[in-house]
Amino acid sequence: MKMLLVGLLIVSIAGLFIVLFRQRLAWRGIITFLLHGVSAFALLYIVNSTGWIAGIHVPINPATLTGVGLLGIPGLALVISLKMVGI
């Protein structure tokens, strides 16, 4: 069973690379996603390190990075407001 899953993972990765090398638009999407992720990390770091909002510490984890990375500044406001409400 484990070998089947490893084989499926390898085939999936190979298929992904085939799509990436054949289509230039896919690279643009990946680069945009990575830039949004880096900017989300920077925004969360600035909020946490400067104490911009007193008493709020937003953890930097995949869920918060995804929310802020996809939604930008409104996503950061959403994460901070959820943290203030206590969710």
Side-chain angles (χ1 to χ4, degrees):
M1 183 68 174
K2 196 177 227 182
M3 292 301 291
L4 178 66
L5 291 176
V6 170
L8 183 62
L9 178 66
I10 291 171
V11 169
S12 298
I13 290 172
L16 177 66
F17 280 122
I18 289 170
V19 169
L20 287 177
F21 286 126
R22 296 184 102 202
Q23 295 183 1
R24 188 171 287 261
L25 185 61
W27 281 108
R28 185 181 302 165
I30 289 175
I31 290 172
T32 302
F33 180 74
L34 289 174
L35 287 175
H36 282 190
V38 169
S39 65
F41 180 78
L43 283 172
L44 286 171
Y45 181 76
I46 289 170
V47 167
N48 285 337
S49 66
T50 62
W52 180 51
I53 297 177
I56 297 295
H57 172 76
V58 180
I60 298 176
N61 57 33
T64 57
L65 283 176
T66 302
V68 177
L70 290 175
L71 299 174
I73 303 233
L76 180 63
L78 174 70
V79 170
I80 291 172
S81 64
L82 288 174
K83 185 70 173 180
M84 291 175 91
V85 171
I87 295 177

Coordinates of all heavy atoms in Angstrom, one line a residue:
M1 N 0.8 -1.2 0.0 CA 0.0 0.0 0.0 C 0.9 1.3 0.0 O 0.6 2.2 -0.7 CB -0.9 0.0 1.2 CG -1.9 1.1 1.3 SD -3.1 1.0 0.0 CE -4.1 2.3 0.4
K2 N 1.9 1.2 0.8 CA 2.8 2.4 0.9 C 3.5 2.6 -0.4 O 3.7 3.8 -0.9 CB 3.9 2.1 2.0 CG 4.6 3.4 2.4 CD 5.5 3.0 3.6 CE 5.3 4.1 4.7 NZ 6.2 3.8 5.8
M3 N 3.9 1.6 -1.1 CA 4.6 1.7 -2.4 C 3.6 2.3 -3.5 O 4.0 3.1 -4.3 CB 5.2 0.4 -2.9 CG 6.3 -0.1 -2.0 SD 7.7 1.0 -2.0 CE 8.3 0.9 -3.7
L4 N 2.4 1.9 -3.4 CA 1.4 2.4 -4.3 C 1.2 3.9 -4.1 O 1.1 4.7 -5.1 CB 0.0 1.7 -4.1 CG -1.1 2.2 -4.9 CD1 -0.9 1.9 -6.4 CD2 -2.4 1.6 -4.4
L5 N 1.2 4.4 -2.9 CA 1.0 5.8 -2.6 C 2.3 6.6 -3.0 O 2.2 7.7 -3.6 CB 0.8 6.0 -1.1 CG -0.6 5.6 -0.6 CD1 -0.7 5.8 0.9 CD2 -1.7 6.3 -1.3
V6 N 3.5 6.0 -2.8 CA 4.7 6.7 -3.3 C 4.7 6.8 -4.8 O 5.1 7.8 -5.4 CB 5.9 5.9 -2.7 CG1 7.2 6.4 -3.4 CG2 6.0 6.1 -1.2
G7 N 4.3 5.7 -5.5 CA 4.2 5.7 -6.9 C 3.2 6.7 -7.4 O 3.5 7.4 -8.4
L8 N 2.1 6.8 -6.8 CA 1.1 7.8 -7.2 C 1.6 9.2 -7.0 O 1.4 10.1 -7.8 CB -0.2 7.6 -6.4 CG -1.3 8.5 -6.7 CD1 -1.8 8.3 -8.1 CD2 -2.5 8.3 -5.7
L9 N 2.4 9.5 -5.9 CA 3.0 10.8 -5.7 C 4.0 11.1 -6.7 O 4.0 12.2 -7.3 CB 3.7 10.8 -4.3 CG 4.4 12.1 -3.9 CD1 3.4 13.2 -3.8 CD2 5.2 11.9 -2.6
I10 N 4.8 10.2 -7.1 CA 5.8 10.4 -8.2 C 5.2 10.7 -9.5 O 5.6 11.6 -10.2 CB 6.8 9.2 -8.2 CG1 7.7 9.1 -7.0 CG2 7.7 9.3 -9.5 CD1 8.5 7.9 -6.8
V11 N 4.1 9.9 -9.9 CA 3.4 10.2 -11.1 C 2.8 11.6 -11.1 O 2.8 12.3 -12.1 CB 2.4 9.1 -11.4 CG1 1.5 9.4 -12.5 CG2 3.1 7.8 -11.6
S12 N 2.2 12.0 -10.0 CA 1.6 13.3 -9.9 C 2.6 14.4 -10.0 O 2.3 15.4 -10.7 CB 0.8 13.4 -8.5 OG -0.2 12.4 -8.4
I13 N 3.7 14.3 -9.4 CA 4.8 15.3 -9.5 C 5.3 15.4 -10.9 O 5.5 16.5 -11.5 CB 5.9 15.0 -8.5 CG1 5.4 15.2 -7.1 CG2 7.1 15.9 -8.8 CD1 6.4 14.8 -6.0
A14 N 5.4 14.2 -11.6 CA 5.9 14.2 -13.0 C 4.9 14.9 -13.9 O 5.2 15.7 -14.7 CB 6.1 12.8 -13.4
G15 N 3.6 14.6 -13.6 CA 2.5 15.3 -14.4 C 2.5 16.8 -14.2 O 2.3 17.6 -15.1
L16 N 2.7 17.2 -13.0 CA 2.8 18.6 -12.7 C 3.9 19.3 -13.4 O 3.8 20.4 -14.0 CB 2.9 18.9 -11.2 CG 3.1 20.3 -10.7 CD1 1.8 21.1 -11.0 CD2 3.4 20.4 -9.2
F17 N 5.1 18.7 -13.4 CA 6.2 19.3 -14.1 C 6.0 19.3 -15.6 O 6.4 20.3 -16.3 CB 7.5 18.5 -13.8 CG 8.1 18.9 -12.5 CD1 8.4 18.0 -11.5 CD2 8.5 20.2 -12.3 CE1 8.9 18.3 -10.3 CE2 9.1 20.6 -11.1 CZ 9.3 19.7 -10.1
I18 N 5.3 18.3 -16.2 CA 5.0 18.3 -17.6 C 4.1 19.5 -17.9 O 4.3 20.2 -18.9 CB 4.3 17.0 -18.0 CG1 5.4 15.9 -18.0 CG2 3.7 17.1 -19.4 CD1 4.8 14.5 -18.2
V19 N 3.1 19.7 -17.1 CA 2.2 20.9 -17.3 C 3.0 22.2 -17.2 O 2.8 23.1 -18.0 CB 1.0 20.8 -16.3 CG1 0.2 22.1 -16.4 CG2 0.1 19.7 -16.7
L20 N 3.8 22.3 -16.2 CA 4.6 23.5 -16.0 C 5.5 23.9 -17.1 O 5.7 25.0 -17.5 CB 5.4 23.5 -14.7 CG 4.5 23.6 -13.4 CD1 5.5 23.4 -12.2 CD2 3.8 24.9 -13.3
F21 N 6.2 22.9 -17.7 CA 7.1 23.1 -18.8 C 6.4 23.4 -20.1 O 7.0 24.0 -21.0 CB 8.1 21.9 -18.9 CG 9.1 21.9 -17.8 CD1 9.3 20.8 -17.0 CD2 9.9 23.0 -17.5 CE1 10.2 20.7 -16.0 CE2 10.8 23.0 -16.5 CZ 11.0 21.9 -15.8
R22 N 5.2 22.9 -20.2 CA 4.5 23.2 -21.5 C 3.7 24.5 -21.5 O 3.5 25.0 -22.6 CB 3.5 22.0 -21.8 CG 4.3 20.7 -21.9 CD 3.3 19.6 -22.3 NE 3.5 19.4 -23.7 CZ 2.6 18.9 -24.5 NH1 1.5 18.4 -24.0 NH2 2.9 18.7 -25.8
Q23 N 3.4 25.0 -20.4 CA 2.6 26.2 -20.4 C 3.3 27.3 -19.6 O 3.5 27.2 -18.4 CB 1.2 25.9 -19.8 CG 0.4 25.0 -20.6 CD -1.0 24.8 -20.0 OE1 -1.4 25.4 -19.0 NE2 -1.8 24.0 -20.7
R24 N 3.5 28.4 -20.2 CA 4.2 29.5 -19.6 C 3.2 30.2 -18.6 O 3.7 30.7 -17.6 CB 4.6 30.5 -20.6 CG 5.5 31.7 -20.1 CD 6.0 32.5 -21.3 NE 7.0 31.7 -22.0 CZ 8.3 31.9 -21.8 NH1 8.7 32.8 -20.9 NH2 9.2 31.2 -22.5
L25 N 1.9 30.2 -18.8 CA 1.0 30.8 -17.9 C 1.0 30.2 -16.5 O 0.8 30.8 -15.5 CB -0.4 30.7 -18.5 CG -1.5 31.4 -17.8 CD1 -1.2 32.9 -17.7 CD2 -2.8 31.2 -18.4
A26 N 1.3 28.9 -16.5 CA 1.3 28.2 -15.2 C 2.5 28.7 -14.3 O 2.3 28.9 -13.1 CB 1.5 26.7 -15.4
W27 N 3.6 29.0 -14.9 CA 4.7 29.6 -14.2 C 4.4 31.0 -13.6 O 4.7 31.3 -12.5 CB 6.0 29.8 -15.0 CG 6.7 28.5 -15.2 CD1 6.7 27.7 -16.4 CD2 7.5 27.8 -14.3 NE1 7.5 26.6 -16.2 CE2 8.0 26.6 -14.9 CE3 7.8 28.0 -12.9 CZ2 8.7 25.7 -14.2 CZ3 8.6 27.1 -12.3 CH2 9.0 25.9 -12.9
R28 N 3.6 31.7 -14.4 CA 3.2 33.1 -13.9 C 2.3 32.9 -12.6 O 2.4 33.7 -11.7 CB 2.5 33.8 -15.0 CG 2.1 35.2 -14.5 CD 1.4 36.0 -15.6 NE 2.2 36.1 -16.8 CZ 1.7 36.4 -18.0 NH1 0.4 36.7 -18.1 NH2 2.4 36.5 -19.0
G29 N 1.4 31.9 -12.7 CA 0.5 31.7 -11.5 C 1.3 31.3 -10.3 O 1.0 31.7 -9.2
I30 N 2.3 30.4 -10.5 CA 3.1 29.9 -9.3 C 3.9 31.0 -8.7 O 4.0 31.2 -7.5 CB 4.0 28.7 -9.8 CG1 3.1 27.5 -10.0 CG2 5.0 28.4 -8.7 CD1 3.8 26.3 -10.5
I31 N 4.5 31.9 -9.6 CA 5.3 33.0 -9.1 C 4.4 34.0 -8.4 O 4.8 34.5 -7.3 CB 6.1 33.6 -10.3 CG1 7.2 32.7 -10.8 CG2 6.7 35.0 -9.9 CD1 7.9 33.1 -12.0
T32 N 3.2 34.3 -8.9 CA 2.3 35.2 -8.2 C 1.9 34.6 -6.9 O 1.9 35.4 -5.9 CB 1.1 35.4 -9.1 OG1 1.5 35.9 -10.4 CG2 0.1 36.4 -8.4
F33 N 1.6 33.3 -6.8 CA 1.3 32.7 -5.5 C 2.4 32.8 -4.5 O 2.2 33.1 -3.4 CB 0.9 31.2 -5.8 CG 0.5 30.5 -4.5 CD1 -0.8 30.8 -3.9 CD2 1.3 29.6 -4.0 CE1 -1.1 30.1 -2.8 CE2 1.0 28.9 -2.8 CZ -0.3 29.2 -2.2
L34 N 3.6 32.6 -5.0 CA 4.8 32.7 -4.1 C 5.0 34.1 -3.6 O 5.3 34.3 -2.4 CB 6.0 32.1 -4.7 CG 6.0 30.6 -4.9 CD1 7.3 30.2 -5.7 CD2 6.0 29.9 -3.6
L35 N 4.8 35.1 -4.5 CA 5.0 36.5 -4.0 C 3.9 36.9 -3.0 O 4.2 37.6 -2.1 CB 4.9 37.4 -5.3 CG 6.2 37.3 -6.1 CD1 6.0 38.2 -7.4 CD2 7.4 37.8 -5.4
H36 N 2.7 36.4 -3.3 CA 1.6 36.7 -2.3 C 1.9 36.0 -0.9 O 1.6 36.6 0.1 CB 0.3 36.2 -2.8 CG -0.3 37.1 -3.8 ND1 -1.6 36.9 -4.3 CD2 0.2 38.1 -4.5 CE1 -1.9 37.8 -5.2 NE2 -0.8 38.6 -5.3
G37 N 2.5 34.8 -1.0 CA 2.8 34.2 0.3 C 3.9 34.9 1.0 O 3.8 35.1 2.3
V38 N 4.9 35.4 0.3 CA 6.0 36.2 1.0 C 5.4 37.5 1.5 O 5.8 37.9 2.7 CB 7.1 36.4 0.0 CG1 8.1 37.4 0.5 CG2 7.8 35.1 -0.3
S39 N 4.6 38.2 0.8 CA 4.0 39.4 1.3 C 3.1 39.2 2.5 O 3.1 40.0 3.4 CB 3.3 40.1 0.2 OG 2.1 39.4 -0.3
A40 N 2.4 38.0 2.5 CA 1.5 37.7 3.6 C 2.4 37.5 4.9 O 2.1 37.9 6.0 CB 0.7 36.5 3.3
F41 N 3.5 36.7 4.7 CA 4.4 36.5 5.8 C 5.0 37.8 6.3 O 5.0 38.1 7.6 CB 5.5 35.6 5.4 CG 6.5 35.3 6.5 CD1 6.2 34.4 7.5 CD2 7.7 36.0 6.5 CE1 7.1 34.1 8.5 CE2 8.6 35.7 7.6 CZ 8.3 34.8 8.6
A42 N 5.3 38.7 5.4 CA 5.9 40.0 5.8 C 4.8 40.9 6.6 O 5.1 41.5 7.6 CB 6.4 40.8 4.6
L43 N 3.6 40.9 6.1 CA 2.5 41.6 6.8 C 2.3 41.0 8.2 O 2.1 41.8 9.2 CB 1.2 41.6 6.0 CG 1.2 42.5 4.8 CD1 -0.1 42.2 4.0 CD2 1.2 43.9 5.2
L44 N 2.2 39.7 8.3 CA 2.0 39.1 9.6 C 3.1 39.4 10.5 O 2.9 39.6 11.7 CB 1.8 37.6 9.4 CG 0.4 37.2 8.9 CD1 0.4 35.7 8.6 CD2 -0.7 37.6 9.8
Y45 N 4.4 39.4 10.0 CA 5.5 39.6 10.8 C 5.5 41.1 11.4 O 5.8 41.3 12.5 CB 6.8 39.4 10.1 CG 8.0 39.6 10.9 CD1 8.5 38.7 11.8 CD2 8.8 40.8 10.7 CE1 9.6 38.9 12.6 CE2 9.9 41.0 11.4 CZ 10.3 40.1 12.4 OH 11.4 40.3 13.1
I46 N 5.1 42.0 10.5 CA 5.1 43.4 10.9 C 4.0 43.6 12.0 O 4.3 44.3 13.0 CB 4.8 44.3 9.7 CG1 6.1 44.4 8.8 CG2 4.4 45.7 10.1 CD1 5.8 45.0 7.4
V47 N 2.9 43.0 11.8 CA 1.8 43.2 12.8 C 2.3 42.6 14.1 O 2.0 43.2 15.2 CB 0.5 42.5 12.3 CG1 -0.5 42.3 13.4 CG2 -0.1 43.3 11.2
N48 N 2.9 41.4 14.1 CA 3.3 40.8 15.3 C 4.5 41.5 16.0 O 4.5 41.5 17.2 CB 3.7 39.3 15.1 CG 2.5 38.4 14.9 OD1 1.4 38.8 15.3 ND2 2.6 37.3 14.2
S49 N 5.4 42.0 15.2 CA 6.6 42.5 15.9 C 6.5 44.0 16.3 O 7.1 44.4 17.2 CB 7.8 42.4 14.9 OG 7.6 43.2 13.8
T50 N 5.7 44.7 15.6 CA 5.5 46.1 16.0 C 4.5 46.4 17.0 O 4.4 47.5 17.6 CB 5.2 47.0 14.8 OG1 3.9 46.6 14.2 CG2 6.3 46.9 13.7
G51 N 3.6 45.4 17.3 CA 2.6 45.6 18.3 C 1.6 46.6 17.7 O 1.0 47.4 18.5
W52 N 1.3 46.6 16.4 CA 0.5 47.6 15.8 C -0.9 47.6 16.4 O -1.5 48.6 16.6 CB 0.4 47.2 14.3 CG -0.5 48.1 13.4 CD1 -0.4 49.4 13.4 CD2 -1.5 47.7 12.5 NE1 -1.3 49.9 12.5 CE2 -2.0 48.8 12.0 CE3 -2.0 46.4 12.2 CZ2 -3.0 48.8 11.0 CZ3 -3.0 46.4 11.2 CH2 -3.5 47.6 10.7
I53 N -1.4 46.4 16.8 CA -2.6 46.3 17.5 C -2.3 45.7 18.9 O -1.8 44.6 19.0 CB -3.7 45.5 16.8 CG1 -4.0 46.2 15.5 CG2 -4.9 45.3 17.6 CD1 -5.0 45.4 14.6
A54 N -2.5 46.5 20.0 CA -2.1 46.0 21.3 C -2.8 44.8 21.7 O -4.0 44.6 21.6 CB -2.3 47.1 22.3
G55 N -2.0 43.8 22.2 CA -2.5 42.6 22.7 C -2.9 41.5 21.7 O -3.4 40.5 22.1
I56 N -2.6 41.8 20.5 CA -3.0 40.8 19.4 C -1.7 40.2 18.9 O -0.8 40.9 18.4 CB -3.8 41.5 18.3 CG1 -5.1 42.0 18.8 CG2 -4.0 40.5 17.1 CD1 -6.1 41.0 19.3
H57 N -1.6 38.9 19.0 CA -0.5 38.1 18.3 C -1.2 37.1 17.4 O -1.9 36.2 17.8 CB 0.3 37.4 19.4 CG 1.3 36.5 18.8 ND1 2.5 37.0 18.2 CD2 1.3 35.2 18.7 CE1 3.2 36.0 17.8 NE2 2.5 34.8 18.0
V58 N -0.9 37.3 16.1 CA -1.5 36.4 15.1 C -0.4 35.3 14.8 O 0.7 35.7 14.4 CB -1.9 37.1 13.8 CG1 -2.4 36.2 12.8 CG2 -2.8 38.3 14.1
P59 N -0.7 34.1 15.0 CA 0.3 33.0 14.7 C 0.5 32.9 13.3 O -0.4 33.1 12.4 CB -0.4 31.7 15.3 CG -1.8 32.0 15.3 CD -2.0 33.5 15.6
I60 N 1.8 32.7 12.9 CA 2.1 32.5 11.5 C 2.1 31.0 11.2 O 3.1 30.3 11.6 CB 3.5 33.2 11.2 CG1 3.4 34.7 11.4 CG2 3.9 32.9 9.7 CD1 4.7 35.4 11.2
N61 N 1.1 30.5 10.6 CA 1.0 29.1 10.2 C 0.3 29.0 8.8 O 0.0 30.1 8.3 CB 0.1 28.4 11.3 CG -1.2 29.0 11.5 OD1 -1.8 29.5 10.6 ND2 -1.7 28.9 12.7
P62 N 0.2 27.8 8.3 CA -0.3 27.7 6.9 C -1.7 28.3 6.7 O -2.0 28.9 5.7 CB -0.3 26.2 6.6 CG 0.8 25.7 7.5 CD 0.8 26.5 8.7
A63 N -2.5 28.2 7.7 CA -3.9 28.7 7.6 C -3.9 30.3 7.5 O -4.6 30.8 6.6 CB -4.8 28.3 8.8
T64 N -3.2 30.9 8.4 CA -3.1 32.4 8.3 C -2.4 32.9 7.1 O -2.8 33.9 6.5 CB -2.5 33.0 9.6 OG1 -1.2 32.5 9.8 CG2 -3.3 32.7 10.8
L65 N -1.3 32.2 6.7 CA -0.6 32.6 5.5 C -1.5 32.5 4.3 O -1.4 33.3 3.4 CB 0.7 31.8 5.3 CG 1.9 32.2 6.2 CD1 3.0 31.3 6.0 CD2 2.3 33.6 5.9
T66 N -2.3 31.4 4.2 CA -3.1 31.2 3.1 C -4.2 32.3 3.0 O -4.5 32.9 2.0 CB -3.8 29.8 3.1 OG1 -2.8 28.8 3.1 CG2 -4.7 29.6 1.9
G67 N -4.8 32.6 4.1 CA -5.9 33.6 4.2 C -5.4 35.0 3.8 O -5.9 35.7 3.0
V68 N -4.2 35.4 4.4 CA -3.7 36.7 4.1 C -3.0 36.7 2.7 O -3.1 37.7 1.9 CB -2.6 37.1 5.1 CG1 -2.0 38.4 4.8 CG2 -3.3 37.2 6.5
G69 N -2.5 35.6 2.2 CA -1.9 35.5 0.9 C -2.9 35.6 -0.2 O -2.7 36.2 -1.2
L70 N -4.1 35.0 0.0 CA -5.1 35.0 -1.0 C -5.9 36.3 -1.0 O -6.3 36.8 -2.0 CB -6.1 33.8 -0.9 CG -5.5 32.5 -1.2 CD1 -6.5 31.4 -0.9 CD2 -5.1 32.4 -2.7
L71 N -6.2 36.9 0.2 CA -7.0 38.0 0.3 C -6.3 39.3 0.5 O -6.9 40.4 0.4 CB -8.0 37.8 1.5 CG -8.9 36.6 1.3 CD1 -9.7 36.4 2.6 CD2 -9.8 36.8 0.1
G72 N -5.0 39.3 0.8 CA -4.2 40.5 1.0 C -4.5 41.2 2.3 O -4.7 40.6 3.3
I73 N -4.6 42.6 2.2 CA -4.8 43.4 3.4 C -6.2 43.1 4.0 O -6.3 43.0 5.2 CB -4.7 44.8 3.1 CG1 -3.3 45.0 2.6 CG2 -5.0 45.7 4.3 CD1 -2.4 46.0 3.2
P74 N -7.3 42.9 3.2 CA -8.5 42.5 3.8 C -8.4 41.1 4.5 O -9.1 40.9 5.6 CB -9.5 42.4 2.6 CG -8.9 43.3 1.6 CD -7.4 43.2 1.8
G75 N -7.6 40.2 4.0 CA -7.4 39.0 4.7 C -6.7 39.1 6.0 O -7.1 38.5 7.0
L76 N -5.8 40.1 6.1 CA -5.1 40.4 7.4 C -6.1 41.0 8.4 O -6.1 40.6 9.5 CB -3.9 41.3 7.1 CG -3.1 41.7 8.4 CD1 -2.5 40.5 9.0 CD2 -2.1 42.8 8.0
A77 N -6.9 41.9 7.9 CA -8.0 42.4 8.7 C -8.9 41.4 9.2 O -9.4 41.4 10.4 CB -8.7 43.5 8.0
L78 N -9.3 40.4 8.4 CA -10.2 39.3 8.8 C -9.5 38.5 9.8 O -10.1 38.1 10.8 CB -10.5 38.5 7.5 CG -11.3 37.2 7.8 CD1 -12.7 37.6 8.2 CD2 -11.3 36.3 6.6
V79 N -8.2 38.1 9.7 CA -7.6 37.3 10.6 C -7.4 38.0 12.0 O -7.7 37.4 13.0 CB -6.2 36.8 10.1 CG1 -5.3 36.2 11.2 CG2 -6.3 35.9 8.9
I80 N -7.1 39.3 11.9 CA -7.0 40.1 13.2 C -8.4 40.2 13.9 O -8.5 40.0 15.1 CB -6.4 41.4 12.9 CG1 -4.9 41.3 12.5 CG2 -6.6 42.4 14.1 CD1 -4.3 42.6 12.1
S81 N -9.4 40.4 13.1 CA -10.8 40.5 13.7 C -11.2 39.2 14.3 O -11.8 39.2 15.4 CB -11.8 41.1 12.7 OG -11.9 40.2 11.6
L82 N -10.9 38.1 13.6 CA -11.2 36.8 14.2 C -10.5 36.5 15.5 O -11.0 36.0 16.4 CB -11.0 35.7 13.2 CG -11.9 35.6 12.0 CD1 -11.5 34.6 11.0 CD2 -13.3 35.3 12.5
K83 N -9.2 37.0 15.5 CA -8.4 36.8 16.7 C -9.0 37.7 17.9 O -9.0 37.3 19.0 CB -7.0 37.2 16.4 CG -6.0 37.0 17.5 CD -5.8 35.5 17.7 CE -4.7 35.3 18.8 NZ -4.4 34.0 19.0
M84 N -9.5 38.9 17.5 CA -10.0 39.8 18.6 C -11.3 39.2 19.1 O -11.6 39.3 20.3 CB -10.2 41.2 18.0 CG -9.0 41.9 17.7 SD -9.2 43.5 16.9 CE -9.3 44.5 18.3
V85 N -12.1 38.6 18.3 CA -13.4 38.0 18.7 C -13.1 36.8 19.5 O -13.9 36.4 20.4 CB -14.3 37.7 17.5 CG1 -15.5 36.9 17.8 CG2 -14.7 39.0 16.8
G86 N -12.1 36.1 19.2 CA -11.7 34.9 20.0 C -12.0 33.6 19.3 O -12.0 32.5 19.9
I87 N -12.1 33.6 18.0 CA -12.3 32.4 17.2 C -10.9 31.9 16.8 O -10.1 32.5 16.5 CB -13.2 32.7 16.0 CG1 -14.5 33.1 16.4 CG2 -13.2 31.5 15.1 CD1 -15.5 33.4 15.3

